[in-house]
Amino acid sequence: MIQSLDRGIKILDILEKKKSSGVTEIAKEIKIDKSSAFRLLDTLKANNLVEQDTINKKFRISGGILRFGNSFLMKTSAIKITRPYLERLSGFTNESAHLCIFSNGCVIVIDQVLGTEIIQVTAKIGKEEVIYCTSVGKVILAYQSEKIREKILETIEFIKFTDKTITDKKELNDNLDEIKNQGYAIDDEEMTPGVRCIAAPVKNHIGEVNYCIGISGLAKRMTDENLLHHIKKVKESAEMISKEMGYTE
C-alpha cells in the first residue's frame, strides 16, 4: 500500500463526511503531524480535488473531483436543476450545451448535452476550461468580485491560441466589464479556429456566480445571422436556472 495515497484518500473521505475541516483536525483524525497533513492537502488542492475557504481556512472537496465519475455528477442538485434546460437549449440551437462550475479558481465542465448536428463541438466532463479565452471562463470571471478577478488576472500566463485570442490584461479586463454589462460572453474563435461559443451566468440566491451554461458550435453554423437568436436562448435559459436556484432581481 502506498502510504501517501492512502492518507490522501482518507482525507477525501473525511471531507466528504464532514463537508469541511481544518488542517489540525484532519491531522489528528488520520494520526499524522500537522505539516504532513498540510502537504497532503496542498497536493490535493494543486490537483483541484479540494479547495480552501478564504475566511475560515477550512478545506472542502472541490468540483475537480467530478472528473472521476459521472455517477457522482447526477447526484448534485445543480446538475439536476440544469439538465432539463440544457436539453431544451440544445434542442433550440441544435448545438451542444454544457454546464460549468467555478471551483478553486478554475472553470470546470460538469455536464453536457450533445446537439443534433452531424459534426459536433463537444466538451469533456471534468475538463478545466481556459479562463481568459473561452466563453464559460470569461463569463465566470466577469462576475467575480474585483478582488478575485484581479487575483486571477495576475496569475494568467497568456497564450495566443488563435489570431483572435486576447493576450493583454487591460484588454481582457475591459472585455470582462463589457460581458458583465451585457450578461453574456462570446468566444469568437479565440480558443479554437472555426469554433464559436456563447455562455451566460447562473446566479445563486445571493447573486453569486459559481456556475454558467453555454453552447458551442462551428462558426460556419453559428453565423452573425443567427447569433442573436442563440444569445437570447442562452441568456433566457441561464435566467430560468438562476430563478430555480433562488435568485431574484
Side-chain angles (χ1 to χ4, degrees):
M1 182 184 297
I2 301 173
Q3 192 176 56
S4 59
L5 178 59
D6 181 60
R7 287 171 173 173
I9 292 171
K10 285 178 179 176
I11 289 174
L12 293 175
D13 284 337
I14 291 168
L15 295 179
E16 193 277 327
K17 291 173 184 175
K18 295 190 174 183
K19 307 307 177 189
S20 68
S21 190
V23 178
T24 302
E25 187 179 358
I26 289 171
K28 184 177 180 181
E29 188 144 351
I30 61 176
K31 298 179 175 59
I32 61 174
D33 59 84
K34 188 176 176 179
S35 61
S36 296
F38 185 81
R39 285 196 299 272
L40 287 166
L41 284 161
D42 197 46
T43 299
L44 292 170
K45 184 179 176 183
N47 285 279
N48 202 30
L49 297 177
V50 303
E51 59 189 8
Q52 188 174 24
D53 190 288
T54 56
I55 298 173
N56 63 26
K57 302 302 180 183
K58 289 188 175 183
F59 289 87
R60 56 178 177 258
I61 290 176
S62 74
I65 198 77
L66 298 177
R67 65 181 183 267
F68 293 110
N70 287 346
S71 60
F72 177 77
L73 296 181
M74 296 313 296
K75 297 178 183 178
T76 66
S77 60
I79 289 175
K80 287 182 179 180
I81 291 171
T82 306
R83 175 52 81 106
Y85 294 99
L86 292 183
E87 291 173 346
R88 201 173 307 157
L89 178 60
S90 181
F92 280 136
T93 63
N94 295 325
E95 303 293 355
S96 296
H98 37 267
L99 170 68
C100 293
I101 186 174
F102 182 59
S103 176
N104 200 28
C106 302
V107 177
I108 300 166
V109 180
I110 60 172
D111 197 19
Q112 177 177 229
V113 173
L114 296 179
T116 57
E117 297 286 353
I118 295 175
I119 301 176
Q120 284 293 320
V121 178
T122 62
K124 185 177 180 182
I125 303 280
K127 178 188 176 187
E128 180 183 333
E129 296 287 348
V130 181
I131 204 163
Y132 64 91
C133 63
T134 61
S135 61
V136 290
K138 291 194 295 180
V139 83
I140 287 279
L141 187 54
Y143 280 85
Q144 299 308 305
S145 67
E146 286 187 24
K147 183 178 180 181
I148 292 175
R149 186 200 286 193
E150 184 59 30
K151 183 178 179 181
I152 292 174
L153 287 174
E154 287 296 329
T155 65
I156 292 175
E157 295 181 5
F158 290 99
I159 297 173
K160 197 168 184 63
F161 293 99
T162 74
D163 291 340
K164 295 185 177 181
T165 307
I166 296 174
T167 56
D168 177 76
K169 179 182 171 182
K170 185 182 183 306
E171 185 181 353
L172 176 60
N173 214 13
D174 289 343
N175 185 221
L176 295 175
D177 289 339
E178 181 183 358
I179 288 166
K180 190 171 182 180
N181 287 333
Q182 66 193 15
Y184 65 90
I186 294 178
D187 163 8
D188 188 10
E189 302 184 69
E190 296 166 47
M191 180 70 196
T192 306
V195 173
R196 266 182 165 175
C197 308
I198 305 166
V202 172
K203 300 176 182 178
N204 65 13
H205 63 290
I206 57 174
E208 294 175 335
V209 175
N210 294 313
Y211 297 93
C212 72
I213 61 168
I215 59 171
S216 300
L218 298 180
K220 65 181 181 180
R221 287 199 305 259
M222 292 176 65
T223 62
D224 292 342
E225 286 72 28
N226 62 25
L227 199 62
L228 289 178
H229 168 268
H230 287 0
I231 290 170
K232 181 182 178 183
K233 292 301 182 183
V234 173
K235 287 184 69 178
E236 286 176 349
S237 299
E239 287 165 3
M240 288 188 284
I241 295 167
S242 297
K243 286 181 181 178
E244 282 215 41
M245 290 191 170
Y247 177 71
T248 56
E249 295 286 353

